[in-house]
């Protein structure tokens, strides 16, 4: 079983972490705990020490009586040189509860106590479980801090909704339940199951030139695609992102191919497609482009131009025609209002995709350029999974879980035979 480091910061929910630690030990993990000074006002060290059977550390200058050993390990003869020995040896680091204050420090790289310094030095995966009053949780500063951490690959264990510690208040901000905290730890410990898989993700919105300055574009930020790429990399895949215009931050683990237009995106995807196992087509690709883009900037004095548009090539259609049976192809459909899911189902069948992720862009606060999404994932197996409004990282996890299911269920032979025929025709 694994060495798990638990960081406890200051909040009433610290008592729930005691139970999570108990569950982790019952599962067989060796747990050490570090606490912020404020957290000790909520739950004393003695409780965590008694449950873990190991001393609890609260400060950087305190010697560790166990000299960096986890329960069940022999105590070394010499004390470790570094105050960060515990995190250096941990296989997972869970920070629960993560107070608003600690989240802010983590997001900005502060290292002013043992818990935050350990997070900066952690060679292992890190999860944070926020817990606070709902107004603190919903505050844009806290949300931005969480988004920043998530972008860096920190796993967020979302808080629950219900009665809050402050009398009579109800809302979001309750620390995840102990079993969920344990599950988050176990998720960090799972081996990278996508090792050896090659994932191709298309991202952002294409820009079709009107002249040398202006273009027809769309509001896609690339955030959903980057979240998918980040999650695929976290699962161990080799990831290539073909990105048109984006405002989000691409994950550093992915190979990035920059493009502008639908035609460039199509060429880049065609080049990369052959060697990919999973295609996640999350880019917003223009359907129309100016038929004759001007070779210079159009002058205002020459009057209002009339744009003639022509259709762009069907990128996904061209790739599907060349697909191998073992490739999993996922499309995305931004649909407007009632009938979004039905329309997505039609697109999945028409384009012969394995799955399609439908989001209703008529709803405010989700989808284009937002940090959150609410989607329905439809699959060729007939499954329909709705992911309630949540961060794009969480939606990405659900999409990749569906890809995993699809990879376990090979296509029907008849379908495969058709695909073989198409693949020859398409080359
Ligand atoms: C009674 C009480 C309860 C608190 N509960 C929380 C909480 O649940 N979440 C939170 O973010 N802050 C809470 N705070 C505020 C934090 O303790 C405070 O921001 C502190 O600076 C956190 O320090 P730390 O992040 O170093 O542990 C609470 C404060 C008090 C006095």
């Amino acid at each position: 079983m694994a060495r798990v480091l638990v960081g406890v910061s200051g909040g009433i929910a610290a008592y729930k972490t005691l139970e999570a630690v108990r569950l982790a030990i019952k599962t067989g993990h060796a747990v050490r705990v570090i606490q912020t000074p404020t957290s000790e006002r909520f739950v004393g060290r003695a409780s965590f020490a008694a449950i873990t059977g190991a001393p609890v550390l609260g400060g950087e200058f305190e010697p560790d009586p166990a000299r960096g050993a986890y329960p069940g390990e022999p105590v070394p003869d010499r004390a470790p040189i570094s105050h960060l020995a515990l995190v250096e040896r941990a296989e997972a680091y869970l920070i629960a509860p993560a107070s608003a204050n600690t989240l802010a420090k983590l997001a900005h790289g502060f290292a002013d106590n043992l818990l935050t310094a350990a997070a900066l030095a952690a060679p292992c995966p890190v999860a944070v479980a926020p817990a606070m009053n709902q107004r603190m949780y919903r505050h844009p500063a806290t949300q931005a801090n969480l988004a920043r951490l998530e972008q860096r690959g920190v796993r967020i264990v979302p808080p629950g909704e219900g009665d809050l510690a402050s009398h009579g208040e109800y809302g979001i901000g309750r620390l995840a339940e102990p079993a969920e905290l344990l599950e988050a730890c176990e998720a960090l410990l799972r081996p990278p199951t996508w090792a050896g898989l090659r994932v191709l993700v298309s991202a952002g919105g294409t820009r079709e030139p009107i002249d040398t300055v202006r273009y027809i574009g769309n509001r896609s930020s690339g955030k959903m695609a980057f979240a998918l790429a980040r999650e695929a990399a976290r699962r161990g895949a080799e990831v290539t992102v073909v990105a048109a215009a984006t405002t989000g931050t691409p994950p550093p683990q992915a190979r990035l191919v920059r493009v502008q237009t639908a035609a460039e995106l199509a060429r880049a995807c065609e080049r990369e497609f052959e060697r990919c196992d999973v295609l996640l087509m999350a880019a917003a690709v223009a359907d129309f482009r100016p038929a004759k883009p001007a070779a210079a900037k159009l002058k205002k004095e020459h009057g209002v131009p009339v744009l003639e548009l022509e259709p762009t090539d069907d990128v996904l259609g061209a790739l599907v025609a060349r697909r191998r049976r073992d490739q999993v192809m996922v499309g995305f459909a931004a649909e407007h209002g009632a009938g979004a899911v039905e329309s997505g189902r039609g697109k999945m069948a028409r384009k012969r995709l394995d799955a399609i992720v439908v989001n209703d862009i008529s709803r405010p606060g989700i989808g284009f350029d937002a940090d959150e999404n609410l989607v329905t994932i439809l699959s060729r197996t007939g499954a329909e999974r709705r992911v309630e409004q949540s961060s794009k990282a969480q939606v990405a996890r659900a999409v990749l879980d569906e890809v995993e299911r699809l990879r376990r269920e090979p296509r029907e032979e008849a379908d495969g035979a058709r695909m073989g025929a198409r693949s020859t025709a398409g080359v």
Side-chain angles (χ1 to χ4, degrees), residues 338-358:
V341 170
E342 271 327 297
S343 167
R345 204 184 301 283
K347 182 172 171 185
M348 175 168 69
R350 234 178 15 258
K351 304 243 173 189
R352 309 184 61 77
L353 298 168
D354 296 291
I356 195 157
V357 182
V358 184

Side-chain angles (χ1 to χ4, degrees), residues 133-154:
N133 168 281
Q134 60 161 332
R135 277 165 283 133
M136 290 171 80
Y137 179 72
R138 289 190 192 280
H139 194 283
T142 304
Q143 289 303 312
N145 290 333
L146 284 168
R148 190 181 264 238
L149 288 168
E150 203 160 37
Q151 264 174 19
R152 265 192 234 136
V154 172

Side-chain angles (χ1 to χ4, degrees), residues 58-128:
E60 292 178 282
F61 292 95
E62 281 174 33
D64 177 7
R67 297 180 162 167
Y70 277 69
E73 295 179 329
V75 176
D77 294 338
R78 294 165 63 88
I81 294 173
S82 165
H83 58 292
L84 300 170
L86 276 185
V87 79
E88 279 157 12
R89 305 194 58 246
E91 289 160 77
Y93 182 20
L94 169 71
I95 300 172
S99 69
N101 175 58
T102 288
L103 283 176
K105 290 188 198 175
L106 295 172
H108 293 276
F110 280 59
D112 64 344
N113 60 34
L114 187 57
L115 184 152
T116 50
L120 274 190
C124 60
V126 179
V128 297

Side-chain angles (χ1 to χ4, degrees), residues 159-396:
E161 195 170 320
D163 290 328
L164 299 173
S166 24
H167 186 68
E169 255 199 79
Y170 182 94
I172 187 153
R174 287 163 61 94
L175 180 64
E177 294 308 312
E180 293 170 315
L181 295 175
L182 176 60
E183 166 48 31
C185 258
E186 309 245 280
L188 294 184
L189 293 165
R190 270 180 216 128
T193 46
W194 287 35
L197 274 190
R198 286 188 282 243
V199 175
L200 175 59
V201 186
S202 72
T206 55
R207 292 177 171 181
E208 306 302 326
I210 295 170
D211 60 16
T212 50
V213 178
R214 306 176 182 93
Y215 57 81
I216 297 176
N218 62 64
R219 289 173 46 217
S220 173
S221 62
K223 287 180 185 171
M224 188 65 241
F226 291 157
L228 290 161
R230 198 169 290 114
E231 179 63 17
R234 204 189 60 74
R235 292 181 189 208
E238 185 192 313
V239 184
T240 299
V241 180
V242 173
T246 57
T247 53
T249 315
Q253 310 91 323
R255 185 164 68 87
L256 192 64
V257 180
R258 280 287 180 193
V259 295
Q260 286 276 330
T261 63
E264 286 171 18
L265 186 131
R267 277 198 296 278
C269 286
E270 274 166 29
R271 261 196 320 273
E272 305 288 340
F273 182 63
E274 189 75 37
R275 58 191 298 276
C276 86
D277 302 293
V278 177
L279 171 73
L280 304 169
M281 202 66 186
V285 183
D287 292 323
F288 311 104
R289 66 177 164 226
K292 296 183 191 91
K297 187 182 171 201
L298 292 171
K299 292 241 185 266
K300 198 170 160 185
E301 304 83 68
H302 295 163
V304 179
V306 175
L307 290 180
E308 187 195 331
L309 300 178
E310 64 180 15
T312 56
D313 294 333
D314 177 3
V315 184
L316 202 45
L319 296 178
V320 169
R322 296 174 39 196
R323 71 174 294 176
R324 298 188 312 270
R325 190 163 42 158
D326 60 319
Q327 288 173 309
V328 174
M329 302 186 63
V330 180
F332 287 73
E335 303 288 344
H336 211 274
V341 170
E342 271 327 297
S343 167
R345 204 184 301 283
K347 182 172 171 185
M348 175 168 69
R350 234 178 15 258
K351 304 243 173 189
R352 309 184 61 77
L353 298 168
D354 296 291
I356 195 157
V357 182
V358 184
N359 67 328
D360 178 355
I361 50 170
S362 65
R363 290 164 180 259
I366 59 162
F368 279 132
D369 207 20
D371 290 322
E372 296 198 327
N373 220 344
L374 182 162
V375 305
T376 303
I377 305 170
L378 305 173
S379 123
R380 65 165 147 80
T381 60
E384 176 175 329
R385 292 187 176 80
R386 186 175 156 88
V387 185
E388 293 304 335
Q389 185 161 345
S390 42
S391 73
K392 288 188 170 173
Q394 284 166 275
V395 173

